[in-house]
Amino acid sequence: MADAARDLVRLSRQAEARAVLLAFRIGQAAYDEVLFALSAERQMMVRNQADKAAVGEISLQLGMSRIKAGTWYKLGDALQRRPKIRLAYLAGELSTHRMSVMVHALESAPEPSPVVASDTAPDTETPVDPDASIGHSQADDLDSDRSADEESGDLEDRALELSSHPSTDAVLRDELEALVISLDPVAAAETREGFAETWQNLTITNDSSGHANIDACVPAEHGVALREQIAALIAARVCRNDRRTIGQQRVAAFVELARLGGRLVCTCGGDGCRVGNADSQAEADSGTARHRFDRSDESDGRAIRMARANRSKRHGRLISCCPN
């Protein structure tokens, strides 16, 4: 029975892989049709419209949403540059989501280094056979193409090896990102800096019913540290009988870690609550979490609070993300 189920899963993956690639061909035909009768200058001006036409044609022909049609079109396009992953996908070895994790992670991989031509001028006094020179030039081009293909193939082989491990898609994504970084650490650092310059930000916008939305793009290590501190504080302070949702618990923990005036306490109301009655231990855990989140001393904390108060006077009232 298990063997039959595995065979059916493989067959369903194979069918979906062929559907994705056929959808790309449908979209590519519509894309080319839009650009076919236009001049080169005009083509550059309407490529966005051509993309929309491709996605619309896939959505119409296959009866799916434009969002899904656009996803399939982009995946089909990415698979054209990853032949080994495409073959594994067609063979049913990869699900669509796992394949998408792989091709998206490899998009940031460095391109193979081109062969740099020699700056030495040829000897004009020595007779050169034209046929021989053409042959050598073509051979160099073939060697360069072969080297680029081998580098790309090796990267795909390593990615497929990682995907064969019994790991989650999130773990696979992290492993592939580490693989790409190891190929060119300098380029990865430059990419990280460029991403930070473009996207790092923190915004606080008003929401309804006395709430606000906090949206931030921060370095990954800071996000991981904050997530771990929030989880540790909830585990130390809240029992399983707490009446709040996990989202409310996280907000209360964040408010305490950010020193916004709140404190995370268990609201189960039971006299025998193991965490609610352990005030001394909770205080110690809270102090440790706050120390990890912000290592500034008390004088720095007072300076920060004064600065916040001054900013609130200049720019208006600060709204808590979840008032308790």
Side-chain angles (χ1 to χ4, degrees), residues 115 117 129-145:
V115 177
D129 184 0
D131 295 334
S133 63
I134 293 175
H136 289 308
S137 176
Q138 291 176 344
D140 291 341
D141 291 341
L142 290 175
D143 290 339
S144 176
D145 294 341

Side-chain angles (χ1 to χ4, degrees), residues 2-17:
D3 292 338
R6 282 191 290 269
D7 291 340
L8 290 174
V9 169
R10 178 178 290 271
L11 288 174
S12 66
R13 289 177 176 176
Q14 292 175 348
E16 187 169 22

